[in-house]
Amino acid sequence: MPNARTATSTWSPQPDDDPATACPISPVVDLVFSRWTTPILWVLQAHGTQRFVELERRIGVTPKVLTQRLRQLERDGLVQRRIYAEVPPRVEYEITELGSSLHSVFAALGEWSDAHLADVEASRAAYTGPLPR
Amino acid sequence: MPNARTATSTWSPQPDDDPATACPISPVVDLVFSRWTTPILWVLQAHGTQRFVELERRIGVTPKVLTQRLRQLERDGLVQRRIYAEVPPRVEYEITELGSSLHSVFAALGEWSDAHLADVEASRAAYTGPLPR
DNA sequence: CCGAATCCCACTGGATACTG
DNA sequence: CAGTATCCAGTGGGATTCGG
């Protein structure tokens, strides 16, 4: 996905009729909030370096999917993978500096959750309209 | 999803080995960053009240999916739906106060994007490992 | 122990057409 | 205009097996 928005980015509302650039933060959202990526980054941030099986158990995800996500995160520079040529083999995953720079985003999210998640649940409980799906 | 922590966990001194609570912000992530929800909220925040077709065109999503997401957002109290009994019919969507309280989250995301998205793309370009999928 | 490879299903979401 | 209905392809992800 080419991000057409270059240097002159102001995060203020600006008329934009092109669906591709209608939501300028979409690239980051895809990057950080793809399925399982948030739990992975969170656990690595909270508990430090983890082995494969530790992540698997903590997060509750199958090895196949975990591998997919870890590769993606490694490719994007958010996670560092380290292999130790031992017997039995050992592979450790650590969050990178780039990855931990997301803490501000996660913090904002956590604060919003503390402040407003109850409102959402109240709204859900009070909602009577048609539920599609 | 189906996490089998059956309430009677009783005597398990495990700190937070429970996958369900491993990432406390997961509920909010599901809420705000489900597919299409971010573009919808962004457009409503940036351009104000919008009609159905305006959203459809600006975001580039099919009416079926748009309806699903809008209902969900309405149920969660992030979007307000207003129907005008006119001919032709008119329905307008507006972000609620609760919805716009997410601006801090979006702002944090935008700032991170400005500061670090280039690093991610550089890492992607430099990555030589195996690409699953 | 750390994955890769395969099979397979459920669900999401896209395209299209139709209604009030 | 504002959706709904239907069909369908793509994919995420679970289960299982195998290899290094």
Side-chain angles (χ1 to χ4, degrees), chain A residues 78-90:
Chain A
L78 302 179
V79 161
Q80 170 71 22
R81 178 171 177 256
R82 267 193 214 85
I83 321 144
Y84 298 87
E86 302 176 355
V87 174
R90 180 162 56 106

Side-chain angles (χ1 to χ4, degrees), chain B residues 14-37:
Chain B
Q14 330 169 9
D16 59 350
D17 285 353
D18 182 7
T21 60
C23 180
I25 62 173
S26 285
V28 199
V29 172
D30 294 340
L31 198 74
V32 182
F33 299 105
S34 294
R35 187 118 212 220
W36 298 116
T37 57

Side-chain angles (χ1 to χ4, degrees), chain B residues 84-129:
Chain B
Y84 298 86
E86 300 176 354
V87 173
R90 180 163 56 108
V91 178
E92 288 184 348
Y93 294 89
E94 184 179 8
I95 196 169
T96 64
E97 191 174 344
L98 181 59
S100 32
S101 72
L102 283 165
H103 76 273
S104 58
V105 174
F106 290 159
L109 216 43
E111 287 166 16
W112 190 91
S113 180
D114 283 344
H116 301 292
L117 191 55
D119 298 338
V120 172
E121 294 181 358
S123 175
R124 284 195 181 186
Y127 184 72
T128 58

Side-chain angles (χ1 to χ4, degrees), chain B residues 35-36 61-65 68-69 89:
Chain B
R35 187 118 212 220
W36 298 116
V61 63
T62 57
K64 168 191 161 186
V65 178
Q68 287 176 354
R69 294 306 156 203

Side-chain angles (χ1 to χ4, degrees), chain A residues 30-103:
Chain A
D30 294 341
L31 198 73
V32 182
F33 299 105
S34 295
R35 189 113 216 230
W36 298 117
T37 57
T38 312
I40 292 174
L41 291 175
W42 182 278
V43 166
L44 289 180
Q45 176 79 27
H47 301 90
T49 300
Q50 301 275 312
R51 304 181 62 165
F52 187 87
V53 190
E54 290 179 304
L55 285 174
E56 185 181 345
R57 279 196 273 262
R58 264 192 217 275
I59 301 176
V61 62
T62 57
K64 168 192 163 185
V65 178
L66 182 57
T67 300
Q68 287 177 353
R69 295 305 159 204
L70 284 173
R71 286 289 182 281
Q72 176 184 333
L73 289 170
E74 187 192 8
R75 184 196 54 156
D76 294 341
L78 302 179
V79 161
Q80 170 71 22
R81 178 171 177 256
R82 267 193 214 85
I83 321 144
Y84 298 87
E86 302 176 355
V87 174
R90 180 162 56 106
V91 178
E92 289 184 348
Y93 295 89
E94 184 180 8
I95 196 168
T96 63
E97 189 175 346
L98 181 59
S100 29
S101 71
L102 283 166
H103 74 274

